[in-house]
Each structure stands twice: as structure tokens, then as C-alpha cells.
Amino acid sequence: MSSSQRRSLTKSKGGAGACPTCGSTNVVRVQAAVVLRVGRRRIRCPLVKHEVCADWGEKIFGIEASQKLDAVVLGKRKHAAV
Ligand SMILES: [Zn+2]
């Protein structure tokens, strides 16, 4: 079971991995606000550490970012009196 696509993982720099969508290693770490769309509403999460694919501009969320976003979304839902 040796994969031929293994080489994309060996060239990571500064802890940033490869883009899961296009496989580019041109990924930069940023800390910026992220706007999530949840149903019909948009939730803004300030200063979320994540990675951005420099080739396509895709946002890549790791475990840490996902947990933070989850917490924000769940928190907003609890307080939202719809
Ligand atoms: Zn990409």
C-alpha cells in the first residue's frame, strides 16, 4: 500500500501542511476574522488561527480553529431567541 502522492507532505514549512483540496504546499498561517454561514445567518469569529492556500485562497481549518468556530456557533445558537 505505498502511495505515489506521499511526496506532497514532505515539503511542509513552518508546520503548515499541504492544501487538502489542491495539494499545494504554498500554505500560509494567518490569524484573521472568519465569517461563517450558518443557515441564513452569518457569524463572525474574530481572530481565528487558520491556514490559507496561497494558490487558490481556500481557508483551511485545523482542529484548533474548528473547535473555536464550533464554540462560537454553538454559543450564538444558545443565545439566539428565534
Ligand atoms: Zn489549495
Side-chain angles (χ1 to χ4, degrees), residues 18-27 52-58 60:
C19 173
T21 306
C22 69
S24 169
T25 51
N26 203 6
V27 172
V52 175
C53 171
D55 287 355
W56 295 88
E58 305 152 75
I60 305 162

Side-chain angles (χ1 to χ4, degrees), residues 1-32:
M1 276 266 256
S2 58
S3 170
S4 58
Q5 293 190 356
R6 221 155 45 103
R7 61 193 160 85
S8 61
L9 293 174
T10 58
K11 225 180 113 183
S12 63
K13 52 172 182 180
C19 173
T21 306
C22 69
S24 169
T25 51
N26 203 6
V27 172
V28 283
R29 297 206 129 189
V30 295
Q31 186 171 19

